[in-house]
Amino acid sequence: MINTRVTIAGVEFQNPVMTASGTFGSGEEFSEFVDLNRLGAVVTKGVANVPWPGNPTPRIAEVYGGMLNAIGLQNPGIDVFINRDIPFLKKYDTKIIVNVCGRSTEDYCEVVERLADQPVDMLEINISCPNVKEGGIAFGQDPKAVEAITKACKKVAKQPVIMKLSPNVTDITVMAKAAEAGGADALSLINTLTGMKIDVNRRTFAIANKTGGLSGPAVHPIAVRMVYQTAQAVGIPIIGMGGISTAEDALEMILAGATAVSVGTANFANPTVTMEIADGIERYLETSGISDINDLIGAVR
């Protein structure tokens, strides 16, 4: 009997495969392609205290080995999310992780408080958002801000809190330790790397925002390295993400120290990829004679 169940902060997942925030909506648009009952968790698109319109278009560009996006966390806000998206996801036997975004500590805490009595399993706090009160620097680029926002969210949260780390820093372990010091129950990493594409024919930026977040296979080796470094630096579980498009990619993350993985950009190219990865992990365990996925977590030192 193969065991693919993993536990993060007391929440048990039937397998370690999740969706990455912003690449799967809140599940409904993918539900005709993917049996959501077969996923460890659905991680929703970012939810703010009020609707966000997002950035001007064009805001997506294909690049070598992935894509750039500057969607700007467009979302309908917490009211619509509670009334529409949570009831849809509750129809399925999968865990619900809500990604929370904000422009100030108060914004984040408002959403976290609104979700306190909702039937969701965990909260993922997106600290790559610009902190409007601190001149626009992302919360996740300043360790003091990371610790402070983590503490603030933990104070009002009823569910376990995952802090989603930005890779756009000098040392990811400094941010990871700051989140742990603030009381984070788990970490997820990496978010997108800042990139740029210029359209040589139009001689202008391919994305209206000029820069965008790079995701896809191109970032995978960087993500594996950062997951490994973080696993050595903190004692809380990690959800690894960044360019995962095969079971082998997912297993790399797990061997590097991730307890679970989130699949993002690959969903756009292959809507059934999450189920294929979950099946592939199970096959790997069978053919390798490994009975428990947990034996692989951080097995490469």
Side-chain angles (χ1 to χ4, degrees):
M1 189 68 182
I2 300 286
N3 175 48
T4 58
R5 292 182 177 274
V6 297
T7 302
I8 297 173
V11 179
E12 187 180 73
F13 301 87
Q14 62 183 327
N15 65 54
V17 181
M18 307 175 178
T19 61
S21 173
T23 64
F24 208 77
S26 288
E28 189 162 5
E29 61 215 64
F30 274 86
S31 60
E32 60 186 288
F33 305 106
V34 180
D35 179 1
L36 302 184
N37 298 304
R38 292 179 55 195
L39 302 182
V42 171
V43 183
T44 70
K45 187 165 172 42
V47 179
N49 60 332
V50 294
W52 284 10
N55 289 326
T57 59
R59 47 193 195 177
I60 288 181
E62 198 168 339
V63 296
Y64 294 123
M67 64 182 273
L68 289 172
N69 95 81
I71 303 297
L73 294 164
Q74 179 180 337
N75 73 93
I78 185 67
D79 292 335
V80 171
F81 180 77
I82 286 173
N83 293 326
R84 181 191 70 189
D85 297 337
I86 293 177
F88 172 79
L89 287 169
K90 286 308 292 177
K91 294 189 287 190
Y92 296 92
D93 180 24
T94 188
K95 297 295 191 244
I96 303 169
I97 300 177
V98 182
N99 183 279
V100 177
C101 51
R103 295 191 177 98
S104 67
T105 302
E106 294 75 20
D107 288 355
Y108 282 102
C109 289
E110 187 181 332
V111 177
V112 170
E113 284 189 84
R114 290 287 305 279
L115 290 167
D117 59 354
Q118 293 297 318
V120 301
D121 298 287
M122 299 185 88
L123 310 178
E124 180 184 65
I125 312 299
N126 177 8
I127 52 175
S128 294
C129 301
N131 182 349
V132 291
K133 292 186 176 172
E134 298 294 335
I137 184 172
F139 284 92
Q141 290 178 315
D142 173 2
K144 287 191 178 69
V146 170
E147 185 171 349
I149 190 81
T150 306
K151 271 187 179 150
C153 289
K154 278 293 293 177
K155 198 173 284 184
V156 293
K158 292 286 190 287
Q159 299 90 346
V161 169
I162 306 160
M163 301 305 288
K164 185 169 185 177
L165 302 185
S166 168
N168 300 305
V169 294
T170 307
D171 185 349
I172 192 85
T173 65
V174 172
M175 305 305 161
K177 287 174 180 172
E180 186 177 41
D185 298 289
L187 302 171
S188 61
L189 61 147
I190 60 172
N191 208 325
T192 54
L193 286 148
T194 307
M196 180 183 283
K197 180 178 173 66
I198 291 173
D199 184 325
V200 297
N201 295 311
R202 293 189 302 125
R203 291 190 286 284
T204 189
F205 300 100
I207 289 176
N209 195 57
K210 297 185 182 176
T211 62
L214 175 65
S215 61
V219 309
H220 183 67
I222 298 166
V224 172
R225 184 261 296 175
M226 288 193 172
V227 165
Y228 175 79
Q229 285 180 311
T230 302
Q232 305 304 306
V234 299
I236 52 178
I238 295 165
I239 301 166
M241 65 195 73
I244 297 174
S245 49
T246 65
E248 186 176 296
D249 294 337
L251 287 158
E252 261 193 277
M253 286 285 193
I254 292 166
L255 289 166
T259 300
V261 296
S262 286
V263 182
T265 302
N267 290 305
F268 299 131
N270 175 9
T272 62
V273 69
T274 43
M275 292 188 301
E276 291 168 18
I277 289 172
D279 290 344
I281 289 172
E282 201 159 340
R283 275 196 307 275
Y284 175 87
L285 293 172
E286 283 171 6
T287 57
S288 304
I290 297 164
S291 60
D292 190 343
I293 185 74
N294 291 277
D295 292 342
L296 294 182
I297 298 169
V300 173
R301 296 292 164 125

